[in-house]
């Protein structure tokens, strides 16, 4: 077996050397004929509508793997690219397996020819893109439209989203900002997550391995087949051809797979690739573009055997493809260390005293975190009003308040001052904004809100409410205020008495007048009755004759009669 594998390895190396010479003779500018197309669908096919339905919100099934442990800061991270020759159903297949620790810092998804390649629908050979990006190892990435060069699926390149699948269901592999590896299906909402955004992301077709198990059947039932262009989806899965894949192992290391081949002539199918990757301890992986697109470049030099023919049909030429998976020396993410550090040998060295984290994007003011009474800034803790100190752990003292305890409290009579706002909390017996006003008589306690409960409405101690004023510390003050109160009461009493006497006098006068009125009325009644009797007698004819007297009082001659006078018949 070893001898057989050795012969195949020698044959592969000879073919590789021959292809390099041919490529060198023709120059890298020679273009392929794109004749080995792994195109799954040359004829119309009926697929369930849900397979290509776009999902914009919600969560789709995918696997997340925590970032691999950080390597020591000294030295470079290991990137191991191994060549293999393996037998699949009696067929000898050569290829490469690449492993890289800390994928967050060693993997980049590069647009064809560099930034802007997807927007301009540019295509470029992998080796050209790899040289521009400084890749140690590079291979072709996601799918693309051969006719137009359009990048297909979701593509995030160094935190820039350069292509969108708009929620279409296809297998994806990506790395989030915290180093988490994501494999599976994603909705538009998950791709656009800003809390922990993707820094690298690309799309393939068929989720090969999910959580340590082959997942091809489930992928055939679930994925949209419009991304690949080989033929029926079943043929795309089962045909032997050149293949590439990307995933990770149980250590969280990046794993790249490449196998040489030519559609329907040599190479492997997806089942064989998945089984091979399982033996490499791969946990999650997706299938990338294959056929004539399958290309492996090592240190800027083509290291795979292309399946596309050149314009001169005697030679084989690498295809101009779309995105490229690039493994490089450790780089800082982001390259500028978030503007708060310097990238040294792939690691950010943060500037200042308080920037922390692999990307220098986290402020850390120490274990106390500003004691939860302040905000950590580039210059240290910015304390809330009422707190001070390097960790905002000291409350304002000595009658101060406000930001940095810079304001002086105005509280009097031992009142407590709020360290944040400077408001006064008055002790019992005092009130007002600055606690300078004593409680009015009859009230006591905090804020003078409690009425005194002493007998005879006597005042109480304004602080304790005690009715025993002999023990009150402010006895003299209370007595003075009570005296003022009593003087006012005396004046009020005298005024009241005067008002009472005056009223009595008026009452007596009124009664006397009423009595006199009654007497006058009685006298008038009697006089009226007497006159009525006299009038009645006059009407009955009982007259009485009274001789007249002279005005001077002299009597007339009694017996003297005038001659010829007759005697009066009324003589008494």
């Amino acid at each position: 077996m070893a001898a057989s594998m050795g012969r195949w390895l020698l044959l592969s190396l000879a073919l590789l050397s021959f292809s390099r010479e041919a490529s060198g003779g023709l120059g890298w500018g020679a273009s392929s004929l794109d004749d080995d197309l792994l195109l799954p669908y040359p004829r119309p096919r009926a697929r369930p509508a849900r397979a290509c339905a776009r999902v914009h919100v919600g969560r789709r099934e995918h696997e997340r793997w925590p970032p691999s442990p950080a390597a020591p800061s000294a030295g470079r991270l290991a990137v191991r690219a191994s060549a293999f020759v393996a037998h699949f159903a009696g067929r000898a297949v050569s290829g490469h397996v690449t492993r890289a620790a800390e994928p967050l810092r060693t993997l980049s998804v590069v647009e064809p020819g560099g930034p802007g390649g997807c927007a301009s629908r540019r295509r470029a050979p992998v080796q050209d893109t790899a040289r521009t990006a400084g890749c140690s190892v590079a291979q072709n990435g996601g799918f693309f439209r051969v006719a137009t060069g359009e990048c297909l699926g979701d593509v995030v390149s160094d935190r820039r989203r350069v292509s969108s699948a708009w929620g279409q269901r296809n297998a994806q592999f990506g790395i989030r900002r915290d180093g988490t590896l994501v494999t599976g299906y994603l909705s538009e909402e998950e791709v656009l997550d800003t809390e922990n955004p993707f820094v690298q992301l690309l799309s393939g077709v068929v989720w090969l391995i999910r959580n340590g198990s082959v997942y091809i059947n489930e992928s055939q039932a679930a994925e949209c087949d419009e991304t690949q262009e080989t033929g029926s989806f079943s043929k795309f899965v089962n045909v032997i051809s050149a293949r590439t894949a990307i995933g990770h192992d149980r250590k969280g290391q990046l794993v790249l797979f490449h196998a040489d081949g030519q559609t329907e002539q040599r190479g492997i199918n997806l089942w064989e690739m998945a089984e091979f990757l399982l033996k490499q301890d791969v946990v999650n992986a997706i299938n990338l573009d294959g056929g004539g697109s399958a290309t492996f470049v090592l240190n800027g030099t083509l290291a795979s055997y292309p399946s596309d023919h050149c314009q001169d049909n005697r030679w084989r030429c690498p295809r101009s493809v779309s995105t490229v998976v690039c493994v490089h020396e450790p780089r800082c993410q982001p390259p500028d260390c978030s503007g708060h550090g310097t990238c040294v040998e792939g690691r950010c060295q943060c500037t200042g005293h308080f920037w922390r984290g692999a990307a220098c994007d986290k402020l850390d003011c120490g274990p106390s975190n500003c004691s939860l009474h302040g905000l950590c800034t580039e210059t240290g803790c910015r304390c809330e009003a009422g707190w001070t100190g390097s960790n905002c752990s000291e409350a304002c003292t000595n009658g101060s308040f406000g930001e940095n305890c810079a304001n002086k409290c105005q509280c009097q009579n031992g009142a407590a001052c709020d360290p944040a706002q400077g408001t006064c909390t008055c002790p019992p017996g005092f009130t007002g904004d600055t606690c300078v006003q004593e409680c009015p008589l009859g009230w006591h306690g905090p804020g003078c809100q409690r009425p005194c409960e002493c007998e005879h409405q006597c005042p109480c101690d304004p602080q304790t409410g005690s009715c025993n004023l002999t023990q009150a510390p402010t006895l003299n003050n209370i007595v003075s205020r009570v005296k003022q109160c009593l003087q006012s009461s005396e004046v009020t009493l005298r005024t009241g008495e005067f008002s009472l006497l005056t009223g009595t006098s008026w009452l007596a006068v009124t009664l006397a007048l009423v009595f006199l009125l009654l007497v006058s009325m009685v006298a008038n009644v009697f006089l009226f009755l007497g006159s009525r009797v006299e009038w009645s007698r006059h009407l009955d004819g009982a007259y009485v004759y009274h001789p007249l007297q002279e005005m001077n009082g002299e009597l007339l001659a009694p017996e003297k009669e005038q001659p010829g006078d007759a005697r009066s018949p009324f003589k008494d």
Side-chain angles (χ1 to χ4, degrees):
M1 178 64 72
S4 176
M5 291 186 65
R7 287 195 296 272
W8 277 108
L9 179 59
L10 291 174
L11 177 61
S12 298
L13 292 176
L15 290 172
L16 176 60
S17 176
F18 179 75
S19 66
R20 288 178 180 172
E21 291 178 2
S23 299
L26 294 173
W28 287 118
S31 59
S32 71
L33 298 179
D34 294 339
D35 52 341
D36 184 15
L37 296 178
L38 195 57
L39 307 177
Y41 315 107
R43 61 182 181 274
R45 63 275 184 193
R47 293 280 288 168
R50 64 176 179 82
C52 294
R54 288 168 166 77
V55 178
H56 297 281
V57 296
R59 187 180 185 277
R60 281 183 159 180
E61 59 271 26
H62 58 268
E63 297 293 333
R64 291 176 293 181
W65 198 266
S68 60
S73 57
R76 296 182 176 182
L77 295 177
V79 177
R80 302 189 306 276
S82 303
F84 71 86
V85 175
H87 287 80
F88 300 89
R91 304 183 312 275
V93 178
S94 62
H96 300 83
V97 174
T98 304
R99 296 179 188 270
E102 290 195 67
L104 177 64
R105 302 198 298 127
T106 57
L107 173 69
S108 294
V109 176
V110 185
E111 295 181 76
C118 283
S120 61
R121 299 188 175 186
R122 183 167 58 220
R123 292 172 56 186
V126 174
Q127 57 270 28
D128 290 356
T129 302
R131 289 169 181 165
T132 302
C135 306
S136 300
V137 176
Q139 65 183 47
N140 62 291
F143 289 80
F144 62 97
R145 298 291 184 199
V146 176
T148 64
E150 176 189 359
C151 297
L152 297 178
D154 287 302
V155 178
V156 175
S157 175
D158 293 332
R159 302 193 179 203
R160 297 176 297 106
R161 192 184 190 195
V162 298
S163 178
S164 174
W166 305 108
Q168 186 169 283
R169 191 184 187 92
N170 278 122
Q172 294 169 302
F173 180 87
I175 307 175
R176 292 195 179 274
R177 183 174 59 189
D178 64 353
T180 299
L181 304 176
V182 179
T183 311
Y185 306 126
L186 300 168
S187 67
E188 182 79 358
E189 180 183 23
E190 290 170 318
V191 172
L192 296 176
D193 175 40
T194 57
E195 183 176 349
N196 188 18
F198 281 103
V199 294
Q200 313 291 343
L201 179 66
L202 77 163
S203 299
V205 175
V206 180
W207 190 349
L208 296 172
I209 301 174
R210 180 177 185 181
N211 200 21
S213 300
V214 177
Y215 201 66
I216 295 176
N217 281 332
E218 293 83 351
S219 295
Q220 283 186 270
E223 290 192 29
C224 178
D225 60 3
E226 294 177 358
T227 302
Q228 50 78 41
E229 302 174 336
T230 299
S232 69
F233 207 12
S234 177
K235 179 181 178 181
F236 176 78
V237 170
N238 294 288
V239 69
I240 61 171
S241 186
R243 301 286 186 173
T244 60
I246 186 171
H248 67 86
D249 61 16
R250 296 189 182 278
K251 296 180 181 179
Q253 296 183 110
L254 175 73
V255 177
L256 298 181
F257 175 86
H258 161 266
D260 285 325
Q262 186 168 359
T263 304
E264 297 183 336
Q265 297 182 25
R266 52 190 172 86
I268 59 177
N269 59 37
L270 295 189
W271 297 99
E272 293 169 335
M273 181 164 62
E275 291 294 339
F276 183 86
L277 290 174
L278 284 177
K279 294 178 182 178
Q280 308 302 314
D281 198 31
V282 173
V283 180
N284 291 291
I286 68 170
N287 173 64
L288 298 178
D289 195 7
S293 297
T295 309
F296 184 82
V297 173
L298 183 64
N299 294 322
T301 302
L302 180 67
S304 60
Y305 184 71
S307 59
D308 274 356
H309 288 87
C310 301
Q311 293 179 352
D312 185 343
N313 200 37
R314 295 176 299 170
W315 312 109
R316 300 295 177 108
C317 287
R319 178 181 295 175
S320 293
V321 298
S322 182
T323 54
V324 170
V325 178
C326 172
V327 178
H328 45 69
E329 294 297 329
R331 296 176 182 173
C332 296
Q333 284 291 344
D336 64 346
C337 297
S338 304
H340 307 300
T342 303
C343 187
V344 178
E345 293 185 356
R347 294 186 180 277
C348 289
Q349 294 185 356
C350 304
T351 56
H353 299 288
F354 304 104
W355 286 107
R356 302 286 189 274
C360 297
D361 57 349
K362 298 178 181 178
L363 283 168
D364 185 0
C365 289
S368 62
N369 194 25
C370 299
S371 304
L372 303 180
H373 298 303
L375 177 66
C376 187
T377 68
E378 294 183 357
T379 58
C381 290
R382 178 180 297 171
C383 301
E384 298 174 352
W387 296 91
T388 187
S390 60
N391 289 320
C392 302
S393 58
E394 304 172 15
C396 293
T397 58
N398 300 323
S400 60
F401 74 95
E403 188 173 350
N404 296 323
C405 302
N407 302 319
K408 282 295 183 181
C409 295
Q410 303 298 321
C411 304
Q412 304 294 323
N413 296 311
C417 178
D418 180 77
Q421 303 297 329
T423 56
C424 300
T425 303
C426 299
F430 296 94
T431 186
D433 292 339
T434 57
C435 304
V436 296
Q437 303 173 11
E438 296 182 355
C439 291
L441 286 175
W443 299 88
H444 74 95
C448 303
Q449 298 296 316
R450 300 176 183 174
C452 295
E453 298 178 355
C454 302
E455 295 181 354
H456 309 301
Q457 297 184 349
C458 292
C460 63
D461 183 274
Q463 298 181 12
T464 64
S466 174
C467 297
N468 185 6
L469 298 181
T470 59
Q471 302 297 327
T474 57
L475 178 61
N476 293 332
N477 184 31
I478 295 176
V479 170
S480 174
R481 296 170 67 185
V482 169
K483 182 177 179 181
Q484 296 176 0
C485 179
L486 291 176
Q487 290 175 352
S488 300
S489 299
E490 290 177 358
V491 172
T492 303
L493 180 60
R494 291 171 184 172
T495 303
E497 290 176 352
F498 177 77
S499 299
L500 181 61
L501 292 175
T502 303
T504 304
S505 300
W506 279 109
L507 180 59
V509 170
T510 303
L511 291 175
L513 290 174
V514 171
F515 177 75
L516 292 176
L517 180 60
L518 291 175
V519 172
S520 174
M521 290 178 63
V522 171
N524 286 324
V525 168
F526 278 108
L527 289 175
F528 177 73
L529 293 176
S531 63
R532 291 274 298 184
V533 172
E534 290 294 331
W535 179 255
S536 297
R537 291 170 63 184
H538 172 71
L539 293 176
D540 292 341
Y543 296 99
V544 178
Y545 173 76
H546 294 281
L548 297 176
Q549 296 180 358
E550 293 183 1
M551 293 302 294
N552 57 7
E554 292 182 358
L555 295 175
L556 298 172
E559 297 294 332
K560 184 177 181 179
E561 297 179 354
Q562 295 293 337
D565 289 342
R567 295 191 62 91
S568 173
F570 299 102
K571 183 180 179 183
D572 291 334

